[in-house]
Amino acid sequence: MRRLPRLLVINPNTSTGVSQAIDALVREEVAGAAEVQTVTASFGFSYISTRVAVSIAAHAVLDAAAKAIGEGARPDAIVLACFGDPGREALAEMTRLPVIGFAEAGLLAAAAMPGTSLVSTNGTVWCEMLGELVLKLGLGDRIAGIRSIESVADDARSIASFLAMEAKALGAERVVLGGAGLIPVLAEVIAAAEVPVLDPHRIAIGKALRLAADPQPAAADAPAPATETFGLSPFLKQALGQPAPQLQRRSGGS
């Protein structure tokens, strides 16, 4: 009997409440078709809203994956559960696994549809970084604009009304609304909106499940670090192909 595919889901912020919402969504979406393990960053910010926080989250993501795998997890794919994908490419390099980020998956799915899309999230800095990701993915002509909902009242109907107004003004066919913190209200926003709203979180989960169920040959080993590292966790050192500190021989020792 073929085993179920395994998904490792990583929350890059330190909020266990957000992790619980993400985990519930993943389990609902896979509907028993995969084994799910959700882990939370052990350091960093409880809410990621600045470039400093994103940079620290990228390190925390690598550390969380290294720890999970070092403790026995054997995922077939990884879901990077943040609408901004901090550390996604580095995580894919380190683990040599498919790493599906909420933002990249949602943007690519929207770009494959007719017309243009509005992208929205909570936070001006996030909008700036998403704009950079759009250009990196070569989707500039597919995205009509990026708008923050940070000044909108914190309820589903207000958000839905704002998104419909902005999409109409930009001539966008749909909206991609992302952010792990929005997961609890996203279904209400979709139901209330007068414009189609894509859920990038579910899109990413579905993509990760498909890739996990149809594993590809492992990529070539990532090159070992060229120089010695200092201060990294034992699990991260191991994932990078270096001996854990307790296995290193002290200079001058026996």
Side-chain angles (χ1 to χ4, degrees):
M1 184 176 177
R2 185 177 180 183
R3 68 168 177 81
L4 290 175
R6 295 177 290 227
L7 296 181
L8 176 63
V9 183
I10 304 176
N11 173 18
N13 71 48
T14 60
S15 169
T16 56
V18 170
S19 292
Q20 289 168 4
I22 293 167
D23 184 76
L25 182 73
V26 174
R27 292 179 187 278
E28 176 186 321
E29 190 67 16
V30 304
E35 296 178 12
V36 177
Q37 178 182 356
T38 300
V39 298
T40 307
S42 62
F43 60 87
F45 292 74
S46 61
Y47 181 74
I48 302 170
S49 60
T50 66
R51 291 181 185 270
V52 170
V54 168
S55 295
I56 292 172
H59 178 185
V61 161
L62 296 175
D63 197 69
K67 184 174 186 295
I69 293 170
E71 291 179 339
R74 294 293 179 267
D76 299 297
I78 298 175
V79 176
L80 184 49
C82 174
F83 193 62
D85 308 348
R88 190 195 67 78
E89 292 173 332
L91 185 56
E93 178 185 275
M94 184 182 78
T95 63
R96 300 180 294 282
L97 291 168
V99 178
I100 314 304
F102 283 168
E104 184 186 54
L107 291 172
L108 290 175
M113 298 178 180
T116 60
S117 302
L118 166 66
V119 178
S120 186
T121 191
N122 188 15
T124 301
V125 175
W126 267 126
C127 289
E128 294 173 1
M129 291 186 284
L130 287 168
E132 293 161 8
L133 179 58
V134 165
L135 295 178
K136 182 178 180 179
L137 295 173
L139 305 178
D141 61 336
R142 310 299 299 156
I143 304 301
I146 304 174
R147 298 289 185 269
S148 173
I149 62 168
E150 61 189 324
S151 62
V152 182
D154 190 20
D155 67 89
R157 289 193 175 277
S158 296
I159 295 171
S161 177
F162 172 80
L163 296 177
M165 179 180 66
E166 292 294 317
K168 182 178 180 180
L170 292 169
E173 300 291 332
R174 68 196 63 81
V175 177
V176 182
L177 177 61
L182 294 170
I183 287 174
V185 300
L186 193 49
E188 294 179 59
V189 174
I190 292 171
E194 297 177 0
V195 61
V197 177
L198 299 185
D199 183 340
H201 320 99
R202 291 186 185 274
I203 290 170
I205 295 162
K207 183 175 182 179
L209 179 59
R210 291 192 297 275
L211 291 172
D214 185 24
Q216 302 298 310
D221 287 352
T227 59
E228 185 179 1
T229 61
F230 297 92
L232 300 181
S233 71
F235 287 116
L236 191 49
K237 289 179 72 71
Q238 183 179 28
L240 294 173
Q242 296 193 339
Q246 63 269 26
L247 299 182
Q248 290 179 319
R249 178 171 297 180
R250 297 177 182 272
S251 64
S254 56

